[in-house]
Amino acid sequence: MSKKIRWGILGLGKIANKFASDLMQVEDATLEAVGSRDIEKAIGFGKEYGANKFYGSYEELAKDPDVDIIYIATTNNLHYENTMMCLNNGKSVLCEKPLGLNSSEVIKMVQLAKSKNLFLMEALWTRFIPATIKVLELVEKEVIGKIKFIRADFGFKSDSDPNLRLYNKELGGGSLLDIGIYPIYLSLLTLGKPNSINSMARITHTGVDSYVGMMFNYQDDKKAFMESTFETDTGTEAFIYGEHGVIKMHRPFHHTKRLSIYSNNIPVQHIDMDYTGNGYYHEIVEVNNCISNGQIESALVPHSLSTDLMSIMDQVRDSWDDTMGE
């Protein structure tokens, strides 16, 4: 049996609970330690998910010599600081998306990981969902012909309390960084980097975007139309339009369990594909395999993809009219 990869979890919110639950299902992984700014929270979380150690600070976790890799699940504004701290303490890192708040942060994180020969990956779990892998296979085989354009949206109604994460600029809030990243990521996977970007946003009184509309333009006049919002519930579906048909990624497209292929508006095939646990299981398996093989990045979510993704989001924000607002 291969050696178990010893994980630490830094930041113990909702997503960390889902991740820890899936971690328990991975045979060659163990939860070595957890870290929170609240020791009681760390103890409660750690006991629930079978951690060996509990820390009341992030720094203590980063310095634990028995931890191989740390999953960072703090708020967006802390991803850079927490990742750099872990890397500087010799720990590999799986950091929740977005990897940083801007390209400068992401580039520095990648440079440090490479200089220390440590694994680093942005936790774009959607890349490892079986249905996502199937979509890329269908696109590669040109089942619907060459792609002409894609449409994707992600929206839900959220509390606009400025003290909460989503509407708090200091915490890295806003729909683009939180959920707009998913449709953009799909466009990057299927069409690559755009030649030009058109975007508009509705900026709230707290200084974050509550709605973003985007159109990306590519070679051969291909297009991507995308939206993200906290203002209302949307379909949260994705459509890939080709010369001969359409692939639909059913709601929620970023971890869908159903794909449909249409020809002349008629469904010709439905593909149902489940995932394990909460869906984080698959990225954990990928990270474990990479670390076991001595790799410092994943071939499926390489450092270059994360730098490209953040560069695109920087361009989206740069394209907004500063006069927009409520």
Side-chain angles (χ1 to χ4, degrees):
M1 184 175 178
S2 60
K3 178 191 171 202
K4 284 186 178 289
I5 303 299
R6 301 168 298 179
W7 285 79
I9 298 180
L10 189 156
L12 307 178
K14 290 181 181 179
I15 196 169
N17 279 271
K18 293 178 180 180
F19 185 90
S21 176
D22 281 11
L23 188 68
M24 295 174 74
Q25 300 184 58
V26 181
E27 289 186 5
D28 61 344
T30 183
L31 182 54
E32 181 64 27
V34 298
S36 170
R37 289 169 169 171
D38 179 344
I39 185 60
E40 295 302 321
K41 186 174 185 178
I43 292 171
F45 185 102
K47 287 183 176 179
E48 181 174 358
Y49 297 108
N52 294 324
K53 284 170 272 189
F54 331 110
Y55 294 114
S57 75
Y58 299 155
E59 292 77 13
E60 289 176 286
L61 172 61
K63 292 177 180 178
D64 187 326
D66 298 323
V67 171
D68 299 312
I69 180 167
I70 294 176
Y71 169 62
I72 294 174
T74 49
T75 51
N76 295 345
N77 62 305
L78 294 177
H79 289 178
Y80 173 76
E81 172 188 327
N82 295 157
T83 296
M84 297 296 274
M85 176 185 67
C86 291
L87 291 171
N88 278 316
N89 279 281
K91 301 297 184 292
S92 291
V93 171
L94 173 66
C95 180
E96 259 312 319
K97 57 80 195 166
L99 190 55
L101 293 181
N102 52 57
S103 292
S104 176
E105 289 188 352
V106 172
I107 290 169
K108 290 175 184 176
M109 294 154 86
V110 168
Q111 288 175 338
L112 182 60
K114 287 181 176 179
S115 71
K116 291 185 171 292
N117 200 37
L118 291 167
F119 180 86
L120 171 66
M121 191 179 90
E122 186 172 10
L124 289 161
W125 64 306
T126 183
R127 178 64 180 88
F128 307 99
I129 296 294
T132 301
I133 294 172
K134 184 64 176 179
V135 164
L136 297 181
E137 177 188 314
L138 295 171
V139 168
E140 178 69 23
K141 291 181 177 179
E142 296 190 355
V143 170
I144 58 170
K146 294 187 183 302
I147 297 176
K148 300 297 289 182
F149 64 97
I150 73 167
R151 290 184 182 274
D153 73 275
F154 198 143
F156 62 89
K157 177 72 172 175
S158 68
D159 190 327
S160 59
D161 184 343
N163 295 313
L164 300 179
R165 178 179 67 86
L166 297 180
Y167 277 82
N168 190 319
K169 190 172 184 178
E170 296 303 313
L171 298 181
S175 76
L176 180 71
L177 287 177
D178 197 71
I179 54 178
I181 190 172
Y182 286 114
I184 293 174
Y185 181 57
L186 178 64
S187 74
L188 187 57
L189 285 180
T190 54
L191 294 174
K193 294 178 69 174
N195 289 350
S196 64
I197 290 171
N198 301 105
S199 178
M200 58 160 289
R202 185 150 43 234
I203 307 299
T204 71
H205 66 280
T206 65
V208 305
D209 56 282
S210 58
Y211 170 86
V212 179
M214 297 168 278
M215 182 177 75
F216 292 179
N217 307 292
Y218 302 85
Q219 288 184 342
D220 303 322
D221 206 30
K222 296 174 183 176
K223 308 285 184 186
F225 304 93
M226 297 160 290
E227 293 176 296
S228 64
T229 184
F230 294 148
E231 298 175 356
T232 187
D233 295 322
T234 69
T236 310
E237 299 171 323
F239 298 85
I240 302 170
Y241 294 89
E243 298 167 306
H244 311 305
V246 182
I247 300 170
K248 177 181 179 180
M249 302 175 72
H250 289 257
R251 175 188 182 95
F253 80 87
H254 62 303
H255 59 111
T256 186
K257 294 183 179 182
R258 169 166 267 219
L259 306 173
S260 295
I261 302 174
Y262 296 83
S263 179
N264 297 319
N265 293 322
I266 299 172
V268 294
Q269 186 180 7
H270 296 297
I271 303 171
D272 293 305
M273 304 185 76
D274 205 349
Y275 48 75
T276 302
N278 296 303
Y280 300 94
Y281 170 91
H282 305 282
E283 74 172 353
I284 297 169
V285 169
E286 168 71 7
V287 172
N288 279 6
N289 288 338
C290 288
I291 292 177
S292 296
N293 293 326
Q295 299 167 232
I296 65 168
E297 61 183 318
S298 164
L300 297 184
V301 183
H303 297 155
S304 60
L305 191 147
S306 291
T307 54
D308 285 348
L309 183 58
M310 183 51 67
S311 173
I312 291 170
M313 289 198 288
D314 281 350
Q315 291 176 62
V316 168
R317 286 179 288 190
D318 288 344
S319 72
W320 294 344
D321 183 345
D322 291 337
T323 64
M324 287 182 185
E326 290 186 338

